[in-house]
């Protein structure tokens, strides 16, 4: 996952110090391939003073889950 909080207001500002989180669940590619190609996230974040969170939801490559998972835990994974 990747978290960017550079658009959040600094604590101590007179502005509201709470801000939304824009969460991108990813797609069928490594996070490095799409993080800079999601324009809407990067356009909205500064306007909303938001934290941006990108997550990878796939089980392949370097994002494999721990090997001690049961068959039931892996029942929703796919090679497609």
């Amino acid at each position: 996952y990747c978290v960017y909080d550079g658009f959040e207001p600094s604590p101590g500002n007179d502005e509201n110090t709470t801000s939304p989180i824009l969460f991108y669940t990813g797609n069928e590619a490594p996070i490095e391939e799409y993080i800079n190609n999601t324009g809407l996230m990067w356009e909205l974040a500064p306007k909303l003073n938001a934290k941006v969170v990108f997550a990878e939801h796939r089980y392949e490559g370097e994002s494999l889950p721990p090997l001690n998972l049961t068959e039931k835990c892996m029942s929703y994974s796919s090679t497609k």
Side-chain angles (χ1 to χ4, degrees), residues 17-35:
T17 56
T18 61
S19 57
I21 296 172
L22 300 181
F23 186 79
Y24 190 89
T25 57
N27 50 37
E28 300 302 321
I31 195 169
E32 296 85 5
E33 291 182 15
Y34 62 78
I35 192 167

Side-chain angles (χ1 to χ4, degrees), residues 16-56:
N16 184 359
T17 56
T18 61
S19 57
I21 296 172
L22 300 181
F23 186 79
Y24 190 89
T25 57
N27 50 37
E28 300 302 321
I31 195 169
E32 296 85 5
E33 291 182 15
Y34 62 78
I35 192 167
N36 291 317
N37 297 313
T38 53
L40 184 60
M41 298 289 284
W42 295 114
E43 290 173 22
L44 288 177
K47 294 176 184 176
L48 300 172
N49 296 323
K51 180 182 287 189
V52 182
V53 178
F54 290 89
E56 255 184 83

